[in-house]
Amino acid sequence: MKLLQLILCFTVAAPQVGTAVANTTPTTHPTTIPTQAEHGLPREALEIGRFFGFPITNSMLVTWLTALVLIVVVQFGTRRMKLVPSGIQNFVEWLVDSLRGFLEGIIGKHLVDRTFWFFASIFIFVLFTNWVGLIPGVGTIGWGHQGPHGFKIDQPLLRGANADLNLTLAMALVFFACWIVWGLRENGPRGFLKELFGPKGETAGVMKIVMVVVFFASGCLEIVSILFRPVSLSFRLYGNIFAGENMLEAMASLVPSLSWLLPIPFYLMELLVGLVQALVFMLLTAVFTLLICPQEEGKEGTV
């Protein structure tokens, strides 16, 4: 249930308003037309409607649909658990067991027992939102105008969720909040500060004073690095997915008569990129957690 709650948390954390660039839109609210048309996928998610005055963007729609599908699949696959799993239950158990074993080899069982719900959610959610963005129709169905080479989509109904910086930043900020909670829970306030500023190793005399100063300065630099982690996490994922979708669009429009053929090799590559980026996001968050919660050898814990 924690995995499903986190997915819902991500879907609520993502909303931001984009700038509409369509020539004609089906919505009744006013839209802003930029002075210079953008080529390729717009940098911002586009507003496609409002719900009680709350703006709904095309990336939010994909985010919610992906989360809904994941919730339905997990609920359907685990509603009647069997000792000998089959079908969807078998796939879900294989995925969860594989992720748990993989993470235990990196951060240890003690941390996995406490944080696996987050890392599994991150990986599964990022992976499937990356792949959903590659489904035909995402980015190619919407409103636009007739151009010299056919109909040009200006305002797509659907947009890859992780091609929106709002969602990737929301996930990074959720991790940052969890990271603080885990660090304080594992080390306590005093131990948390010691991990950041405390001298490491055994020293004595004048050298000990020198090391205190050195590690305090190093801790100050580490604070700056920690504050930039959400930025680096969000821009890394957003940049790779945004660039990939622009590349697919460029290949589709390079030779209009071969728009059905040229993108195929790049689709296969983007499937691999989606998997790699989900793995990288999960691994970076796991390693950042391990750095603030170092575990003693043989230390075990209970949930």
Side-chain angles (χ1 to χ4, degrees):
M1 291 303 296
K2 289 184 177 180
L3 184 150
L4 303 179
Q5 292 168 0
L6 185 63
I7 291 176
L8 288 175
C9 177
F10 287 159
T11 63
V12 173
Q16 290 291 336
V17 182
T19 303
V21 296
N23 289 338
T24 58
T25 66
T27 55
T28 57
H29 62 277
T31 58
T32 303
I33 301 177
T35 57
Q36 189 174 13
E38 294 185 54
H39 298 283
L41 186 70
R43 290 188 299 273
E44 298 176 335
L46 303 178
E47 182 182 328
I48 59 175
R50 286 180 175 265
F51 183 75
F52 292 105
F54 184 77
I56 306 298
T57 66
N58 48 6
S59 65
M60 290 170 59
L61 183 59
V62 173
T63 302
W64 293 341
L65 290 174
T66 305
L68 179 61
V69 169
L70 288 175
I71 292 171
V72 170
V73 169
V74 172
Q75 290 287 353
F76 181 79
T78 58
R79 62 177 180 171
R80 294 178 181 176
M81 300 291 287
K82 301 177 182 178
L83 291 178
V84 180
S86 61
I88 297 178
Q89 180 189 342
N90 190 38
F91 172 76
V92 172
E93 290 191 6
W94 168 81
L95 181 59
V96 171
D97 288 342
S98 299
L99 285 174
R100 186 178 182 90
F102 178 69
L103 286 169
E104 280 189 9
I106 298 174
I107 63 176
K109 186 177 184 302
H110 177 76
L111 279 180
V112 166
D113 288 342
R114 289 159 167 74
T115 61
F116 178 71
W117 62 272
F118 177 85
F119 297 132
S121 300
I122 277 287
F123 177 80
I124 294 171
F125 184 73
V126 171
L127 175 64
F128 283 95
T129 48
N130 288 345
W131 284 353
V132 165
L134 301 176
I135 296 176
V138 177
T140 59
I141 296 177
W143 305 274
H145 67 279
Q146 189 69 33
H149 300 293
F151 192 79
K152 172 67 176 178
I153 298 295
D154 293 324
Q155 186 176 7
L157 175 64
L158 302 172
R159 173 194 177 108
N162 288 325
D164 183 0
L165 184 59
N166 297 311
L167 177 59
T168 59
L169 181 60
M171 291 189 292
L173 291 176
V174 169
F175 162 70
F176 187 66
C178 292
W179 179 86
I180 293 175
V181 172
W182 294 333
L184 290 174
R185 184 178 62 183
E186 293 295 316
N187 303 301
R190 183 176 178 180
F192 187 85
L193 294 176
K194 185 178 179 181
E195 286 295 330
L196 293 175
F197 301 103
K200 310 299 188 295
E202 296 294 333
T203 55
V206 177
M207 191 52 130
K208 184 174 183 179
I209 299 176
V210 173
M211 295 303 293
V212 167
V213 175
V214 169
F215 275 97
F216 178 80
S218 175
C220 292
L221 294 176
E222 182 68 13
I223 291 295
V224 176
S225 172
I226 289 170
L227 293 176
F228 272 96
R229 284 175 185 174
V231 178
S232 64
L233 283 171
S234 56
F235 272 95
R236 179 183 290 105
L237 178 57
Y238 162 75
N240 280 278
I241 302 305
F242 181 79
E245 294 197 8
N246 270 288
M247 180 183 63
L248 292 175
E249 183 171 338
M251 291 298 104
S253 59
L254 187 62
V255 181
S257 59
L258 296 176
S259 60
W260 60 273
L261 178 62
L262 290 180
I264 292 179
F266 297 94
Y267 265 101
L268 298 177
M269 185 182 71
E270 286 303 308
L271 285 173
L272 178 60
V273 169
L275 173 62
V276 170
Q277 289 305 313
L279 191 62
V280 167
F281 199 99
M282 180 188 71
L283 285 177
L284 286 176
T285 54
V287 171
F288 289 154
T289 302
L290 179 63
L291 291 176
I292 197 62
C293 305
Q295 301 301 307
E296 298 176 4
E297 186 176 355
K299 181 179 179 180
E300 301 291 340
T302 57
V303 179

